[in-house]
Amino acid sequence: MANVLLLRAPLEDSPDKYESSLRSRGYNPFSVPVLETVIVNRSELACKIGNGPKQQDFTGVIITSKRAVEAWSGVIQDLSTREHGAADWSSVPFYVVGESTASALRAIRQTCDSPLAPKNIRGGAESGTAEALARFILNDLSSTDRPRLLYLTGDKNRDTLPSTLERGGIALDSLQVYATQGSSRFSQDLENTLRLAPVDLHEPWGWIVFFAPSSAEFVTPTLRSCYRFPMKESCSHPHSIPNVKIAAIGPTTAKYLQDSLCFVVAVVAPKPNPEELGDSITSYDQQH
């Protein structure tokens, strides 16, 4: 049974769909998270929350991820009654993408019964994408005079939502509250995973699947200490026989692996989903 190292965090679904797809095909899959999210600009967010919506002319708040929910929750837990004074966000509409984000936002009130905790939550199941949320907000605020929303963002955002809202006459005050970076635990998590993976010294270890150029750049130095990668002829080292094969979740990642890291990519999934990846790896092994 060949091992497959999936360089991404397991999905919240149980069982994980990528692991299940590979396991059903006779592989031994392991997922290792390569990225982590950190909260940033806490003091700026605390200032905005503490000043309250009326003083800043906010008619609503946009939250599109659980990370932004965590940022809001963490700040209001820290704020004292003296610091936030008369600030009251309980009647302000909080517009959210997807039901999971809405549920996380509603849960704040269960642990923090405060006027700083969101209460008027809109969207959710009705707005599962940024495009859908933009349409929902435009319709919801159609009769509001000069609407202005606080928009909590991460470090990687498409401009679909803000550009749609601004064209519709809604002003946004954007604040980045979280950022994605390489996992500080990657080396330790990889080491723990390798202890679980069966190894036959006379056989190749298996596969490594890359899911994004940014994560590939971050993890490759650590991976090189554990594996011998298939390299382009111009970059290969004598007597370095590869013990892993490389798969990419899509063409952008594959191009980065080939052009920037000199890797030979055996498989590129035709579509970025568990079934296509599993089929591609299985087909390659059957043909070789």
Side-chain angles (χ1 to χ4, degrees), residues 17-182:
K17 292 180 180 178
Y18 280 92
E19 292 181 2
S20 293
S21 174
L22 290 161
R23 196 171 287 115
S24 69
R25 292 166 170 79
Y27 291 92
N28 191 36
F30 299 90
S31 295
V32 178
V34 298
L35 301 174
E36 64 185 11
T37 304
V38 295
I39 304 302
V40 298
N41 297 324
R42 288 179 64 95
S43 59
E44 291 87 342
L45 179 59
C47 183
K48 290 183 182 295
I49 294 176
N51 286 335
K54 290 184 179 180
Q55 183 175 331
Q56 302 165 96
D57 295 322
F58 287 135
T59 50
V61 181
I62 300 176
I63 292 185
T64 59
S65 72
K66 289 183 179 179
R67 295 305 188 189
V69 174
E70 291 174 13
W72 189 281
S73 177
V75 166
I76 69 172
Q77 294 284 355
D78 293 341
L79 284 174
S80 67
T81 303
R82 178 182 58 81
E83 286 175 313
H84 69 70
D88 188 348
W89 294 85
S90 59
S91 62
V92 174
F94 280 70
Y95 297 100
V96 300
V97 169
E99 184 54 36
S100 63
T101 306
S103 296
L105 203 56
R106 284 192 291 266
I108 293 178
R109 278 198 163 262
Q110 298 174 8
T111 56
C112 183
D113 185 14
S114 160
L116 303 180
K119 186 176 182 181
N120 184 2
I121 300 168
R122 303 184 186 182
E126 302 169 75
S127 52
T129 65
E131 293 86 347
L133 180 61
R135 292 193 299 269
F136 182 91
I137 293 172
L138 289 171
N139 182 66
D140 198 55
L141 296 178
S142 59
S143 60
T144 303
D145 182 37
R146 301 178 66 182
R148 182 167 181 263
L149 304 180
L150 174 61
Y151 177 30
L152 304 187
T153 73
D155 57 331
K156 297 176 178 65
N157 301 285
R158 295 172 58 197
D159 65 356
T160 302
L161 188 146
S163 61
T164 301
L165 293 179
E166 288 167 357
R167 286 197 303 270
I170 295 178
L172 296 180
D173 183 345
S174 299
L175 176 64
Q176 182 186 337
V177 295
Y178 64 94
T180 303
Q181 64 184 29

